[in-house]
Amino acid sequence: QDASVSLVDMTTMKELSRHKVGPRPYGIAVSRDGRTVAVGVEDEECVKFFSLPDFTPQGKTPIGKMHNDHIVLIQDGRSVMVANFYSDDVVVIDIETMKETGRITGCSAPHVVKYGPLKQRAYVTCKKVTGIAIIDPTSQKLLKFHQLNVNPRSLTFSADETKVYFGSFWVNGFFEMDTESGKVTQLYSFDPAADNAANQEVTYHGVEAVGKNIVLAANEGRSFVDAVDVTTGKLLDRLTTVNKPCCVERIPGPADQPIRVLISNIGDGTLQLVEVGADFKMQALGKAAVGKAPKRVAFVPVTTP
C-alpha cells in the first residue's frame, strides 16, 4: 500500500532499505544467482526487474490487467511464472531477456502459484471456476484441474505431496485435499477467543508446512497463527503477538537448523520472525517495520567468498 519493496536483514530484523517500485506491488521472486528481483507492479500492469544489490531498474515485461498475481521462480532458475488472474494463464518470463516465453492455459483466474515439495509440479489456486490446478512448468502444460465448492487461499503440502492444504473465505478453518483425486478429506477448525468469534469473511489466509505433519495457519481476520498437527487434528500452539497476519513463509536452510518463518503483518506494517521449537511451540523473535500492508516475500541467496 505504499508502492515499495523493503530489504530486511533477518539476523537483526532491521529494514536496510526501502525502494519505490510503482503502485500496488504484489508478487515477487529472486533469481537463483541472487542478482535479479522480479516484482509485479499491478497498477502499471507489468513485471519489473531490478538488479541486486543496488536495486537498479533493468526493464519490464507487460502483463495486462493484474489482480494479486503471485510470482514464483521456475526450477531451471532462468525464468519466473506469473499467475495472471485476468488472462486465465500462468505467464512464463525469461529473467535475462525479460521477454514472455510461454503461457500455461486452462487455469481459471489463477492467483497463487507454488511448487510442491517434490519440485516437479506446481499448483495454482483458481478463483473464477473455483479449484486447484496442477501444472507442469517444464512442458508448460495443465495436468489436472480439481474443481472445489470453496474459494482456495494460499497453499502448502504434505512432504510427499499427496495432500495440499488451503484456507478459504468465511470458513473458520483450513482444508486438506488429496492431490490425485481432488477430494477434500478434512477441515481443521479451532475455536477463536470468545470475544472474537463472530462470523467474518477473512479468517485463515496463509498456510505453511514446517514439519512432517505440522502446518502453521495464519488467521488474518482474528490476528493469530495456529500450529496444527494434521495427522491428529490437534491444535499444538497459538501465537497471538501478530497483527492481521496474511502470509507465512518458511526461511530456507539446512534441516539441522531451527525452523523459522516470516509472517507478514498487514495490520501494523511489519515482517515478524518466529521460531518453531521441537515441541512445535512458536516463539516470536522480533519484528522489522517495513512498508504499509506487506504481503509477499522472497529470499536473497546467501553467498560466501
Side-chain angles (χ1 to χ4, degrees):
Q1 289 183 16
D2 69 353
S4 72
V5 170
S6 294
L7 178 65
V8 174
D9 183 333
M10 291 188 295
T11 303
T12 62
M13 287 309 291
K14 299 292 184 183
E15 183 187 54
L16 301 179
S17 56
R18 190 180 301 183
H19 305 278
K20 291 292 185 181
V21 296
R24 209 162 58 88
Y26 193 89
I28 187 169
V30 174
S31 63
R32 186 165 294 157
D33 62 11
R35 297 171 59 184
T36 306
V37 58
V39 181
V41 181
E42 305 219 332
D43 281 1
E44 296 182 12
E45 299 184 354
C46 66
V47 174
K48 289 185 176 180
F49 294 86
F50 302 87
S51 65
L52 294 177
D54 54 4
F55 219 85
T56 302
Q58 298 297 301
K60 62 184 179 180
T61 306
I63 297 294
K65 195 173 181 181
M66 302 173 77
H67 178 67
N68 299 343
D69 293 357
H70 282 228
I71 302 175
V72 67
L73 183 69
I74 294 181
Q75 281 300 106
D76 65 10
R78 299 188 299 269
S79 305
V80 293
M81 291 186 292
V82 183
N84 184 232
F85 181 92
Y86 284 104
S87 72
D88 293 339
D89 301 327
V90 177
V91 182
V92 181
I93 301 171
D94 182 275
I95 295 172
E96 184 176 356
T97 65
M98 295 174 286
K99 301 293 186 184
E100 180 184 321
T101 59
R103 287 181 178 244
I104 303 169
T105 61
C107 301
S108 181
H111 171 45
V112 176
V113 56
K114 188 174 183 179
Y115 270 96
L118 302 181
K119 302 302 181 184
Q120 296 176 347
R121 305 188 297 182
Y123 297 75
V124 184
T125 62
C126 299
K127 299 295 190 174
K128 191 161 48 181
V129 179
T130 54
I132 294 176
I134 305 174
I135 61 175
D136 180 353
T138 302
S139 65
Q140 297 188 11
K141 293 186 181 299
L142 173 70
L143 301 177
K144 289 186 178 182
F145 176 75
H146 297 307
Q147 188 170 348
L148 301 169
N149 58 8
V150 294
N151 191 338
R153 309 186 77 196
S154 192
L155 291 173
T156 196
F157 310 89
S158 61
D160 62 3
E161 215 172 293
T162 60
K163 305 292 183 185
V164 62
Y165 302 92
F166 59 90
S168 189
F169 296 94
W170 291 105
V171 179
N172 197 52
F174 65 94
F175 296 91
E176 176 186 85
M177 186 194 82
D178 181 89
T179 56
E180 289 304 309
S181 69
K183 181 179 180 181
V184 173
T185 52
Q186 182 83 346
L187 169 63
Y188 302 92
S189 181
F190 306 98
D191 292 335
D195 61 352
N196 190 19
N199 291 331
Q200 58 178 288
E201 179 181 8
V202 177
T203 54
Y204 286 95
H205 190 172
V207 289
E208 184 78 330
V210 297
K212 184 178 180 181
N213 303 309
I214 309 302
V215 170
L216 302 187
N219 194 311
E220 180 182 327
R222 305 186 195 279
S223 288
F224 57 76
V225 177
D226 285 343
V228 178
D229 186 325
V230 293
T231 301
T232 65
K234 290 183 178 179
L235 176 64
L236 303 178
D237 194 24
R238 175 168 287 174
L239 182 71
T240 57
T241 57
V242 292
N243 194 325
K244 295 196 176 301
C246 64
C247 307
V248 183
E249 298 279 351
R250 183 170 180 172
I251 298 172
D256 59 352
Q257 287 188 356
I259 296 171
R260 291 184 172 182
V261 300
L262 291 177
I263 296 171
S264 300
N265 289 308
I266 62 174
D268 62 4
T270 63
L271 195 65
Q272 187 166 5
L273 179 64
V274 172
E275 184 167 301
V276 183
D279 57 357
F280 299 107
K281 301 296 183 182
M282 292 174 285
Q283 180 183 4
L285 300 180
K287 285 184 175 182
V290 293
K292 187 178 179 182
K295 283 281 189 173
R296 312 307 309 170
V297 304
F299 299 98
V300 179
V302 175
T303 58
T304 55

